[in-house]
């Protein structure tokens, strides 16, 4: 899953990678949390556009968002069938720029050890996202979004059994093309990254507090417990199946 992430790259670098027409100016963020605005890129009238949405998807059919769980993540394996995500999966896919994300390792001691997970060679990730617009009874409209997750790759499986789905630059057009891309083509993009693509770095527990937001959060710290080992590789069975995990548990 993904309950916090970072976008520290300069606006020009983000714009260059995602190729949108807008020229937004935004500060570096080191601890983006649910309910906060997140940057997204989507296709509008054939052009990529930069749009801010609130992190925590509210389905268009919802009458009272307060009565719903906060939909921060959507499992890629089932999003196309779930009522909360089905329409967005088909009609409102987006990309979410990120420098990396945080995950919490839970050893048997009961502690929650934060890790900063980033591209080993640097650069920006394009997280697979969904967005929806929701109209309140007074006619106001708010755009909201969620991140898609997939089973963690072997290298990161010791930290957590889920990870965000990442779209490679060569697949941006296909992911954003909600009119022509087939369900089969889209599903094929939602898979774990190779084991050597990301690295996990232990960081200070200050990141647990959403109010903390500074470069020191991604500085390597001495972990209080031994580093997690990758989960044993599972034999494939006839029925298949993906690892579990609570997609709504933030840390």
């Amino acid at each position: 899953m993904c309950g916090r992430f970072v976008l520290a790259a300069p606006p020009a670098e983000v714009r260059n990678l995602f190729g949108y027409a807008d020229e937004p100016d935004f500060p570096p963020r080191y601890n983006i949390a649910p309910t906060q605005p997140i940057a997204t890129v989507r296709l509008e009238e054939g052009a990529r556009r930069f749009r801010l949405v609130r992190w925590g998807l509210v389905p268009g059919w919802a009458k009272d968002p307060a009565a719903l769980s906060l939909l921060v993540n959507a499992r890629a394996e089932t999003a196309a069938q779930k009522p909360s995500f089905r329409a967005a999966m088909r009609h409102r896919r987006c990309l979410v720029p990120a420098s990396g994300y945080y995950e919490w390792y839970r050893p048997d001691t009961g502690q929650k050890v934060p890790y900063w997970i980033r591209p080993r060679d640097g650069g920006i990730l394009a997280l697979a996202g969904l967005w929806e617009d929701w109209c309140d009874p007074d006619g106001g409209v708010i755009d909201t979004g969620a991140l898609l997750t997939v089973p963690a790759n072997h290298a990161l499986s010791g930290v957590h059994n889920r990870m965000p789905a990442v779209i490679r630059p060569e697949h941006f057009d296909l992911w954003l093309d909600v009119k022509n891309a087939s369900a089969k083509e889209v599903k094929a993009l939602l898979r774990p990254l190779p084991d050597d693509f990301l690295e996990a770095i232990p960081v200070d527990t200050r990141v647990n507090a959403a109010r903390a937001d500074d470069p020191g959060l991604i500085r390597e710290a001495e972990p209080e417990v031994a580093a997690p080992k990758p989960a044993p590789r599972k034999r494939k069975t006839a029925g298949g199946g993906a690892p579990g995990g609570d997609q709504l548990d933030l840390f």
Side-chain angles (χ1 to χ4, degrees), residues 58-65 68 134-135:
V58 178
W61 46 260
K63 293 183 178 180
D64 181 10
L68 300 175
W134 181 79
C135 297

Side-chain angles (χ1 to χ4, degrees), residues 63-169:
K63 293 183 178 180
D64 181 10
L68 300 175
S69 297
L70 189 62
L71 302 177
V72 173
N73 297 148
R75 297 171 73 92
E77 303 93 315
T78 58
Q81 289 80 47
K82 295 292 185 180
S84 294
F85 305 117
R86 186 166 50 212
M89 190 68 181
R90 179 64 188 90
H91 302 291
R92 287 173 286 280
R93 297 190 298 271
C94 64
L95 299 167
V96 180
S99 302
Y101 67 99
Y102 298 106
E103 195 51 84
W104 279 259
Y105 167 53
R106 303 183 186 207
D108 294 337
T109 60
Q111 296 169 280
K112 298 174 183 177
V113 183
Y115 277 79
W116 157 233
I117 300 175
R118 67 181 184 186
R120 190 176 298 274
D121 297 328
I124 304 170
L125 297 172
L127 308 184
L130 305 174
W131 68 277
E132 277 281 8
D133 50 14
W134 181 79
C135 297
D136 64 32
D138 297 323
V141 179
I142 181 173
D143 286 352
T144 63
L147 301 178
L148 286 155
T149 68
V150 294
N153 61 27
H154 180 66
L156 296 177
S157 60
V159 179
H160 198 277
N161 59 10
R162 304 289 297 180
M163 68 187 299
V166 175
I167 306 297
R168 298 296 190 99

Side-chain angles (χ1 to χ4, degrees), residues 193-228:
L193 287 169
D195 283 349
D196 61 353
F197 193 90
L198 300 171
E199 61 180 351
I201 300 169
V203 293
D204 194 272
T205 54
R206 286 196 307 118
V207 74
N208 294 356
R211 64 181 178 275
D213 190 355
D214 61 78
L217 296 180
I218 60 174
R219 204 168 291 139
E220 185 169 5
E222 188 67 31
E224 297 181 4
V225 298

